[in-house]
Amino acid sequence: MKENISWDQIAVGNFTYPLFRFTTFLDSMVRLGVKNIEVWAAGPHLYLEDATPEMLRRMRREIRARELNPICLTPEQCMYPINIGAEEPWIRDRSVKYFEKGLKASESLGIRQMLVTPGDGYRENESTETKKYTIENLRYLSEKARDYGVTLLLEHLTVETTNLATRANELADLNREIDCDNIIPMVDTDMMSRYGETISDYLNAFDGVIGHVHLVDGMPAGHLALGDGVLPLENYIEELRRVNYNKYISLEISNDRYHLNPEDAVKRSIDWLKKVL
């Protein structure tokens, strides 16, 4: 049970800390012995529309001062008016520019990966146009990402947030149609489990290649701290172990039940992981 997956692959995101300053999140990671962080680019910490060069330089200084390693930038793209597959051209244009700001922020913070998601279309319509715009804009962002030395991580969503890719095979099909080698699909255990799928389903669909993992518990949904739900998390770890998974596993604990005491939720999750790894 100690092989292949190591503590060095574990990251924690600031998703749990929206009621506290970004520096409070960073100090919490130091106390908990966490080295890798995923930066959720959302208010109040880093809403990309508000980001300035000085703000980003300050954040980078704060991260470096604590010797933390920022491994992924995750722009908020479900709760704000961002949709690369929208039928309205002004929404698509705004959304692409938003992700370009994300790429610039990634470069400023020294981050080499940025998370992106499929677009979303009106449910009265077929998904054909949504897919066309999503593919077109992800190809464009792929070329921009090359200029910044950033890899794009393509995450699946739920039926409430996309009409394109909610299951492993759908995400794999979309990624094949995009056909850009710097866009790599990833998996989120909360959204995966809502549809009765496992890590192995994603590994099979992606020919064994997963670029990133969001590891959370759920009922099956909820983005809960590890151990607070009913998901077979140890099975997921074992599935990753069997294929010698060597990328990051990030805790995306975002349920608002933890927002007043985020460090406790992260600490309990880390304690759970230390028993398994």
Side-chain angles (χ1 to χ4, degrees):
M1 293 293 288
K2 302 291 184 182
E3 298 176 354
N4 300 331
I5 303 296
S6 75
W7 175 248
D8 291 337
Q9 293 173 250
I10 303 303
V12 176
N14 53 311
F15 309 96
T16 330
Y17 292 74
L19 302 184
F20 296 85
R21 291 182 176 87
F22 186 67
T23 50
T24 299
F25 161 69
L26 299 178
D27 289 337
S28 179
M29 296 302 99
V30 173
R31 282 192 296 273
L32 295 174
V34 173
K35 289 298 182 183
N36 304 311
I37 60 170
E38 181 168 341
V39 179
W40 180 40
H45 296 163
L46 180 60
Y47 180 44
L48 291 173
E49 299 292 3
D50 297 334
T52 64
E54 175 52 35
M55 180 191 301
L56 293 165
R57 284 193 294 268
R58 184 169 63 249
M59 291 182 75
R60 182 165 182 166
R61 286 196 301 268
E62 297 286 3
I63 292 169
R64 285 185 163 184
R66 294 161 177 82
E67 298 183 340
L68 296 170
N69 177 34
I71 57 96
C72 180
L73 184 81
T74 300
E76 178 52 59
Q77 49 204 279
C78 297
M79 298 172 64
Y80 294 102
I82 302 301
N83 182 0
I84 60 171
E87 69 176 48
E88 297 86 353
W90 58 90
I91 297 178
R92 297 197 305 277
D93 182 62
R94 176 178 63 232
S95 301
V96 169
K97 289 177 179 175
Y98 173 84
F99 282 113
E100 289 184 276
K101 291 175 183 177
L103 290 170
K104 292 178 183 177
S106 297
E107 180 185 51
S108 297
L109 294 173
I111 298 175
R112 304 298 297 273
Q113 299 183 118
M114 187 178 80
L115 190 148
V116 292
T117 57
D120 193 23
Y122 294 119
R123 297 308 189 271
E124 298 96 331
N125 305 334
E126 296 292 331
S127 60
T128 307
E129 290 296 294
T130 309
K131 178 179 280 190
K132 182 184 86 170
Y133 294 134
T134 293
I135 292 172
E136 175 183 291
N137 287 322
L138 284 176
R139 285 175 176 166
Y140 172 82
L141 290 170
S142 166
E143 289 306 308
K144 291 294 182 180
R146 291 184 199 282
D147 295 337
Y148 291 99
V150 172
T151 297
L152 300 179
L153 300 168
L154 181 60
E155 186 180 39
H156 51 115
L157 293 174
T158 67
V159 293
E160 293 82 15
T161 46
T162 186
N163 60 341
L164 286 186
T166 61
R167 291 166 175 78
N169 287 334
E170 293 170 346
L171 188 65
D173 290 343
L174 178 63
N175 191 59
R176 277 191 288 270
E177 289 192 60
I178 296 166
D179 192 27
C180 295
D181 60 9
N182 65 333
I183 299 181
I184 304 175
M186 59 165 289
V187 61
D188 181 297
T189 59
D190 173 311
M191 296 184 291
M192 169 191 82
S193 63
R194 298 184 195 201
Y195 304 107
E197 295 190 314
T198 69
I199 295 284
S200 291
D201 291 315
Y202 281 78
L203 287 165
N204 292 335
F206 305 157
D207 297 324
V209 178
I210 290 178
H212 190 56
V213 173
H214 278 165
L215 182 70
V216 284
D217 213 337
M219 300 293 291
H223 277 77
L224 302 180
L226 307 188
D228 282 0
V230 299
L231 300 186
L233 300 175
E234 289 192 50
N235 291 349
Y236 300 158
I237 295 290
E238 184 58 33
E239 288 174 300
L240 293 170
R241 183 178 280 118
R242 285 199 294 268
V243 297
N244 296 315
Y245 176 77
N246 62 1
K247 302 297 195 308
Y248 290 105
I249 298 172
S250 186
L251 303 184
E252 192 191 26
I253 303 166
S254 58
N255 194 290
D256 59 9
R257 72 168 72 175
Y258 307 117
H259 286 176
L260 290 175
N261 191 7
E263 187 167 312
D264 174 70
V266 175
K267 182 181 185 303
R268 288 190 291 106
S269 298
I270 288 172
D271 290 343
W272 184 95
L273 277 170
K274 286 181 176 178
K275 293 176 183 177
V276 174
L277 298 181

